């Protein structure tokens, strides 16, 4: 085993896994945003001929994972594990996609942090020599998330300005022991923190403390600072959560600059009426597997820190008046 534990929460990989391929599929709203040209496929509508929103989400994930596998040049029999997750009860989008993919499957749930979590776990499997190649992917869908967590879109409820828009899309990566591509060199596994936020229309505030805690521990464990990265991208804090996290970092004695941004801020334009930005498992997945991967390959970025952010609540816990626990997982990717 090559990985090395550093500090409280970080592991450094002795033989860093390679990102061999990536693939993204998004809905029309995402395709109309500023990153629209960086996605591999853009659907013309959110249901894509399927019988339900849930089936459409499963198709998104299946398409992204098949696309990444094809881009890698590997045959399915060369993939040791498929790691996937989504937001729906019992991660049904991932389960049904795994039924079609017919690969050894590990389902993961970290809410919107699942892409970073999957990358971390996949890297541990490879660096620990338990796998040669791992296929990872996540999905989310605006309509399925609204149906499960909030109110039917048909009701046309007014959304507060702190609310975020769930990304319709899926992103997938193929990780391998060797080959050409950016490498995942370290991972920081976060802790669950809960500061009592109960407003499900203000997810950024619920997740910001946990993301900040992960960042602080990451910098302390590796003796680094934000400026050691060309880009630090949180998953889906949105504008509210990003501003709060920057303030919490400052209170911890860490000053971040323009290198710290959020995938939920990048994916939509302000004129797309998404209020505080984007959310959803696919938010960080499609931004990373699309725009950020392309910038790494082009040499524009040398070292990136992706910090997945997740709100670990459920409709049941919300109805019972529970607060919203948050989590943040970080992975370092180097060209």
């Amino acid at each position: 085993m090559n990985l090395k534990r550093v500090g409280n929460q970080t592991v450094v990989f002795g033989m860093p896994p390679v990102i061999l391929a990536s693939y993204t599929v998004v809905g029309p709203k995402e395709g109309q945003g500023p990153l629209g040209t960086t996605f591999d496929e853009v659907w013309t509508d959110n249901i894509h001929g399927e019988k339900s929103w849930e089936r459409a989400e499963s198709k998104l994930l299946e398409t992204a994972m098949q696309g990444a596998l094809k881009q890698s040049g590997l045959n399915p029999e060369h993939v040791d594990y498929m790691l996937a997750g989504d937001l729906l009860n019992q991660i049904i989008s991932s389960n049904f996609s795994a039924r079609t993919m017919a690969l050894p499957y590990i389902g993961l749930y970290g809410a919107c942090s699942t892409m970073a979590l999957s990358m971390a776990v996949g890297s541990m499997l490879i660096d620990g020599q338990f796998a040669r190649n791992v296929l990872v992917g996540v999905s989310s869908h605006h309509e399925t998330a609204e149906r499960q967590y909030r109110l039917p879109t048909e009701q046309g409820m007014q959304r507060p300005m702190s609310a975020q828009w769930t990304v319709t899309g899926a992103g997938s990566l193929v990780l391998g022991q060797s080959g050409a591509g950016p490498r995942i060199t370290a991972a920081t596994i976060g802790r669950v923190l809960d500061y009592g936020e109960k407003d499900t229309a203000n997810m950024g505030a619920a997740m910001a403390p946990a993301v900040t805690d992960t960042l602080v521990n990451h910098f302390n464990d590796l003796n680094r600072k934000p400026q050691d990265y060309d880009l630090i991208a949180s998953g889906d804090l949105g504008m509210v959560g990003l501003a709060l996290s920057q303030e919490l970092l400052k209170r911890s004695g860490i000053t971040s600059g323009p290198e710290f941004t959020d995938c939920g801020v990048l994916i939509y334009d302000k004129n797309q009426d998404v209020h505080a930005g984007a959310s959803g498992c696919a938010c960080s997945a499609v931004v990373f597997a699309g725009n950020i991967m392309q910038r790494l390959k082009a040499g524009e970025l040398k070292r990136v820190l992706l910090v997945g952010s997740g709100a670990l609540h459920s409709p049941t816990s919300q109805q019972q008046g529970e607060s919203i626990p948050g989590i943040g997982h970080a992975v370092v990717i180097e060209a």
Side-chain angles (χ1 to χ4, degrees), residues 160-171:
M161 294 307 294
S162 60
Q164 295 166 248
W165 190 276
T166 304
V167 167
T168 297

Side-chain angles (χ1 to χ4, degrees), residues 26-37 39 42:
V26 299
K29 192 178 188 76
E30 294 69 28
Q32 293 161 5
L35 302 182
T37 59
F39 304 126
V42 179

